[in-house]
Amino acid sequence: MKAAAFRYHRATSLDDALAVMADDDEEVRALAGGQSLVPLMAMRLSRPEVLVDLNGVDALAGVALDGGHLRIGAMTRQRDVERSPLVAEHLPLLRTAIGHIGHVTIRHRGTIGGSVAHADPAAELPAAVVALGAEMVLASTGGTRVVPAEEFFDSYLVTAVEPGELLVEVRFPLGAVPARHGMAEFTRRAGDFAVAGAIVLADVAADLTVRRARVVPMAVDPAPRRSARAEELLVGRALDDGVIREVAAAVAAGCGPVDDIHGSAAYRRDLVAEMTRRALARLRQGAGE
Amino acid sequence: MSGETAITVSATVNGRRQTFTCEARETLADALRRRCQVRGVHLGCEHGVCGACTIRFDGVTARSCLMFAPQADGAEIVTVEGLADGDELHPLQEAFSRHHALQCGFCTPGFLMVAQELLAEGGPLTEEVVREAISGNICRCTGYHNIVEAILAVADARSGEAEK
Amino acid sequence: MTGTRHGHEPGVGGVGAVVRRHSDPALVTGHATFIDDIESGGTLHLAMVRSPFAHAEIKGVDASAALDLPGVHAVLTGAELVRHAKVQPVGWEHIDNQRAAPTYAMAVGKVRYCGQIVAAVAAESRALAEDAAELVEVDYEPLPVVHSIEDALAPDAPRLVPEWPDNVFGSQTYGNGDADAAFADAEVTVSERLTFGRQFGCPLEPRGAVATWERYTNRIELWINSQSPNRVREVVAEVLGVPVSGVRVRVPGIGGGFGSKANYYGEEILCCLLSRLTGRPVKYIEDRQESFVATSHAREQRIDVAVAATRDGVITALRGHIVGVLGGEISSVGMGPVWLSAVSIPGPYRIPNLELSVTGVLTNRTPYGSYRGWGAPKATFAMERIIERLARELGVDSNEIRRRNFVRPEEMPYSNGVFATLDSGRYEHCLDLCVERLRRDGWYRFREEARAAGRKVGIGVAAFVESTGIGPSRVMARLGIAQGGYDEAVVRMDSTGRVTVFTGQTEMGQGMSTTLAQLCADELNIPVDQITVVMGDTDACPYTGYGTGGSRAAAVGGVAVRQATGELKRQILRVASHQLEVDVADLEIADGLVQVRGLPGYGRTLADVAYAAYRRLTDVGEGTTPTLQGRAVFDPVALTYANGCAGVVVEVDPATGGVTVLGYVMVDDCGTMINPQIVDGQLHGGCAQAIGGALLEDLVYDRNGQLLTTTFMDYLLPTAMEVPPFSTVHVETPAPNTPGGMKGVGEAGTVPGPAAIAAAIDDAVDDPAVFVRHLPVSPEQVYRFCNAAG
């Protein structure tokens, strides 16, 4: 398990990185935390000719409040996001979600941008950024563009990032999504990828009436997507057990899981309903008080 | 098969500056083992799951099989070889031996690095916290029972000292 | 019990003492030497070209592009191999109609499983060797794949060995009494079809070898992380046509073995051969992905089991038919583990009528070999499951069934007429202790309270015996095993009075170097830290017929060490007797002295006695041979039977099928314990593997014979979060035929756990329609148990 040969480029700045990324004669890949890419390279399932190491580009790391957004640089370590007071205050879901990623040692190196760009539908961060209505800032030598999270993920490990482009920042609009969150996932072992999971956000009134809601199932679709039907079922209704059951069923009915060694599609469908139920129950805890 | 140019890397390993050349594709784990002669970095999976290659990289634990050696240029690295103070074992090393928390010992360096970080954070440790903290490391021999006991024993001894 | 203890003084660290292992300091500081740390200048690295097909003809191999790559020294193919190497021997030829399926160190003409070696590339680095391996072009013509037992036994099945009439490697039936009559007359009968999944030892350190074939001396020096250096030495000699004395096998620290490193493999042969062809040391380190296809698989069996009984729950007859899912080639142990499962099903029970049979079928899977526990976990799974089934049928507690059928201590030695002669043990006592410990730890009350709160908590118990201390050489020879079961040991005292033990056993983390030193210390009554244990070098160390496995290192190797130490002690006393002019019978070793009994302090220091024996021979009696060395060969007269009982507490989450192991009691009678802390460690580790085997670990093949689980993300080893604290209980019934009373403990932890976990899940789900018939049981299966349609 030794990676195929590649040329290593330690980027000194974003412009430097983008200049190398712009080379369309060679297959270029950006190296962020490496927690997913390096194993793929060791197995020779990924074999870039040039590897652009972003770990030296300090400008790509950091959490900042900027007007109506919380901006997180793509190279910000997951552990730093998890421990950021700004994130704790404004994006508690993000903190919860990162707590489910692998293990602390993985989160020390793993970055928010790396995980989002890797786009594993069983991973926590892609689902979380969809739930949070985040915007992906993509840069290239031609300039930058912003892609909403909901348009960012195409399918398994495939995103809107074009050759030559780099995800440089994840921008979270504040107040644009509901404040309360609930999350649940089922894993075979502690720290494993989810067999199925769910993230829910909702604003809930004192009488438990849901004002706004966002529901994102995990590991049951080729890419993380909101469940529009589930959200419709929530809004305007009191978050009681019956509604929760209905919503869970709608999530299960609307997703497209596939069989794998950890569970059949049918099982995953049942599991995602249960995870939705649990996520909503967690969200409800303490609501309406 | 392009670009196999040698890269020079200079890093501090267990307090000593080391400079070596390697291929870009060499993992940091391989470079530490083969270029820096720190053989306590063990390769149990080379895909970032078993934790046997865990080191401290710029102050925090990292899996050295998930980094390429050139990434270590300028870095401060501590491996299991850097835990003991001369001939004096680190309290965790001592406790692992006393509690029979190792059998074949192949995974042990990784557990020690993670446990050391856990203890350094200084929070209160329960069995549950310790189990969670070491759950990214695989041991095939001990069933973890004595590893948990050893770590808790060091934590208890430390809190005992703090109360004095 | 106390009779087995020697009256050593405190601080000696003899039998029964908790002694810290001398291997620990190097291991905890990262300074121990493992196989990948062995590398001399000029070493070439091997990478293997492994078959992507499960079954295919090899029409041709073109290595020219690989050989053109700078830094590549050689590419070896099967066609070339057969010019230099004979077939790999099969050590276990114990089934009457066992067929021969010649297996070479790599594929010759045909591949029979995914991952089989097709070519070996030697290059100046592993990465380069992997680059070159990608350039080797192999022309395969795929053949139909035999995926399962059903495939293999179908009348029109494609045959893995075309010369055979079918895919059956061997099949045999064993019996006692008249099972047919007993079933016909039975008041009650129950039967089940059970299956056990494919798993493997999966030590954290993969396999590796470094070979140097010295051109001018024509000697091979082979470093290998094997549990059986003597066997490897003989196999290398046999396959490569050199004398045994021309092969030196050396073993560094082993990063876990679990039986998978007790088998021998083709890779070490390829290292030797490529060293000869290139004139360089050649090193191969299996990588993790390779380990899943290249290291022996184990466990996978289909088991049909039935018992006949009276309404009182007395079992009158047992039928067990086991089919083992062997791989595409035969491993070094043939179908030994499958056979042992079949003949071990009766376990600790007195069953007069037995009909047991075993069949091994070839499939296009990785070869089937050793994994800790060998046949015993499946045998115990079968017997304990059918007891649970009988208990349900009769509406009585399964522990009651166990009690009514246990062989009692006063009935021992008890031969079940098939294979086992149960030599010692208090099986009911172990069950009582298990239940008592579960109660003391609060688990019965916990279950009651949890159930009252609507939670699904269950407790399962399983009793077991396991044949340990293999094995009597004559039994092994009768079985058709081309190896002895004895052990040789040499113990020397040097001229400064320090002692070195030389053994053919190996240290793989189980603490054997420490426990052997303790036996020696116990016999000599000298502190254990004055004893060095040398192992893992066939030039320096004595011969062992079988190596380290079969829970035999203490029960056989340990006895040899003890007896060799006894001989050394006689020599020491003889020298001292001359020096002190006191009869040998009046001398003892104590406090570092050879002293006169009853006159503490009156004597010579051991150092002085030793100095005389080597360097001041005037001080040694006429006719006494200089030097101090004892040698002994111990061949046990019978197998012994470790035994005990596991009690497991689980909680099932009916909404997900998730199973959490909350509590785990392990009662074990390993005979005399040498080092209780090490015994506990062996049990903990074995129990964790039982949890993995029951709930997590599964080598999954698709219909095309592709292994789907080739990473640690797919083959799930338990972590600290899936394993509970263990509660161990020890019973020490000395093995009557083992001097010193040891039975062996290396494998016990793996044996009863799977059966106990299955019973605990049944108990937690608490539905008469639910019965765990397959392990590992997945969350999805448990979910179906809890949410059956209708």
Side-chain angles (χ1 to χ4, degrees), chain A residues 17-146:
Chain A
L18 292 176
V20 182
M21 298 291 292
D23 180 350
D24 48 16
D25 291 338
E26 289 184 298
E27 195 194 330
V28 186
R29 292 232 22 196
L31 175 64
Q35 306 298 287
S36 299
L37 177 60
V38 177
L40 290 174
M41 289 177 68
M43 295 171 196
R44 300 197 176 195
L45 296 172
S46 173
R47 34 200 320 161
E49 290 161 286
V50 179
L51 198 61
V52 181
D53 182 359
L54 303 178
N55 285 277
V57 185
D58 294 340
L60 288 176
V63 181
L65 202 53
D66 177 13
H69 287 88
L70 194 71
R71 297 167 53 181
I72 304 183
M75 285 301 294
T76 312
R77 308 285 173 196
Q78 291 158 8
R79 187 68 170 158
D80 292 337
V81 178
E82 188 183 0
R83 294 184 152 188
S84 157
L86 284 173
V87 169
E89 187 185 340
H90 298 286
L91 299 171
L93 164 63
L94 203 52
R95 192 181 151 118
T96 304
I98 289 176
H100 283 94
I101 299 175
H103 308 277
V104 169
T105 303
I106 295 289
R107 307 203 285 269
H108 280 323
R109 289 298 301 172
T111 64
I112 183 169
S115 175
V116 167
H118 186 60
D120 188 323
E124 290 79 4
L125 281 171
V129 297
V130 169
L132 290 166
E135 296 159 352
M136 309 295 140
V137 182
L138 305 181
S140 67
T141 48
T144 62
R145 64 184 179 118
V146 176

Side-chain angles (χ1 to χ4, degrees), chain C residues 9-23:
Chain C
E9 52 204 79
V12 163
V15 171
V18 170
V19 170
R20 280 169 69 176
R21 309 185 317 163
H22 11 257
S23 50

Side-chain angles (χ1 to χ4, degrees), chain C residues 1-136:
Chain C
M1 191 42 264
T2 48
T4 63
R5 292 274 197 272
H6 282 242
H8 58 72
E9 52 204 79
V12 163
V15 171
V18 170
V19 170
R20 280 169 69 176
R21 309 185 317 163
H22 11 257
S23 50
D24 284 354
L27 288 166
V28 297
T29 55
H31 290 99
T33 300
F34 292 97
I35 188 70
D36 195 26
D37 302 326
I38 307 283
E39 195 166 314
S40 53
T43 297
L44 298 177
H45 299 261
L46 279 192
M48 303 302 179
V49 177
R50 293 184 180 274
S51 172
F53 293 100
H55 198 191
E57 297 269 4
I58 301 170
K59 309 299 271 186
V61 180
D62 179 359
S64 52
L67 285 164
D68 284 347
L69 205 60
V72 173
H73 286 242
V75 178
L76 185 69
T77 64
E80 171 83 359
L81 173 96
V82 294
R83 295 172 42 210
H84 307 281
K86 301 192 186 71
V87 297
Q88 300 281 106
V90 173
W92 282 67
E93 297 191 308
H94 58 300
I95 303 296
D96 287 350
N97 62 357
Q98 182 166 322
R99 293 185 172 130
T103 296
Y104 287 91
M106 66 201 299
V108 176
K110 199 180 203 186
V111 290
R112 295 199 183 92
Y113 60 94
C114 270
Q116 191 171 4
I117 301 169
V118 176
V121 181
E124 283 170 13
S125 75
R126 169 70 184 222
L128 187 61
E130 289 188 22
D131 294 344
E134 290 183 328
L135 299 175
V136 175

Side-chain angles (χ1 to χ4, degrees), chain C residues 483-503:
Chain C
Q483 275 135 356
Y486 56 87
D487 239 56
E488 179 188 16
V490 171
V491 182
R492 279 185 207 141
M493 179 172 275
D494 66 27
S495 63
T496 63
R498 294 296 178 117
V499 174
T500 305
V501 172
F502 297 85
T503 173

Side-chain angles (χ1 to χ4, degrees), chain C residues 9 130 182 248 266 282 349 510 527 531 555 596 790:
Chain C
E9 52 204 79
E130 289 188 22
R248 179 186 190 184
V282 172
Y349 303 109
Q510 85 284 41
I531 297 162
V596 179

Side-chain angles (χ1 to χ4, degrees), chain B residues 11-68:
Chain B
T12 304
V13 180
N14 298 325
R16 230 181 90 225
R17 196 84 186 152
Q18 296 227 30
T19 301
F20 58 88
T21 57
C22 64
E23 267 190 87
R25 60 166 153 175
E26 196 160 311
T27 64
L28 179 55
D30 276 337
L32 287 168
R33 290 180 50 73
R34 307 181 73 82
R35 318 273 172 201
C36 304
Q37 305 303 320
V38 285
R39 298 295 178 93
V41 173
H42 292 156
L43 294 174
C45 74
E46 294 185 277
H47 59 278
V49 186
C50 80
C53 68
T54 304
I55 59 170
R56 198 152 80 233
F57 185 90
D58 286 342
V60 294
T61 53
R63 294 184 171 174
S64 58
C65 77
L66 295 185
M67 298 177 72
F68 291 110

